[in-house]
Amino acid sequence: MSFTSIASEPYAWPYDGAFEAGDTALMIIDMQTDFCGIGGYVDKMGYDLSLTRAPIEPIRRVLQRARALGLHVIHTREGHRTDLSDLPDNKRWRSRQIGAGIGDDGPCGRILVRGEPGWQSSPPRRAR
């Protein structure tokens, strides 16, 4: 399936109008329980989850259409090793200053640690 080019400055993209499903991807970044789920990192910090949960349904609709068109779909998640060896000291310190330290125990397991419940996609991705 071919798409139209997108008007932009300094020129339309893609420049030749070749916008094919096979070389196009939808990237969904950090839509995980720690950021937008009840009991996750952001919730534990006391922020209004309506802000991080607002894009869930629109993303779900775009994801469904992207899959129907055959686009590649890439999901990213922020997560640190269980021993936190990849967590910079200043990032850990900063997270603790705002009330929910990365790696600390939380209602969804250790905050932003790979493999923990809070690290999972929120809501869980549906099977194809």
Side-chain angles (χ1 to χ4, degrees), residues 40-128:
Y41 178 63
V42 171
D43 188 28
K44 188 172 179 186
M45 289 190 301
Y47 291 106
D48 179 3
L49 284 184
S50 68
L51 301 173
T52 58
R53 293 184 65 80
I56 291 175
E57 284 307 313
I59 288 171
R60 191 186 315 270
R61 290 191 302 271
V62 170
L63 176 60
Q64 181 179 12
R65 183 71 176 141
R67 286 183 171 154
L69 292 172
L71 274 66
H72 300 282
V73 177
I74 301 165
H75 295 265
T76 71
R77 293 180 284 184
E78 179 180 353
H80 298 277
R81 294 178 179 155
T82 56
D83 65 0
L84 303 180
S85 63
D86 60 345
L87 177 62
D89 290 339
N90 68 324
K91 188 173 180 180
R92 187 173 195 182
W93 176 85
R94 190 174 67 239
S95 70
R96 286 186 170 159
Q97 298 310 300
I98 55 178
I102 295 172
D104 291 351
D105 288 329
C108 292
R110 293 178 64 211
I111 296 170
L112 290 176
V113 172
R114 294 178 198 158
E116 295 287 336
W119 179 71
Q120 303 304 321
S121 294
S122 177
R125 293 179 280 174
R126 293 183 180 156
R128 290 184 181 204

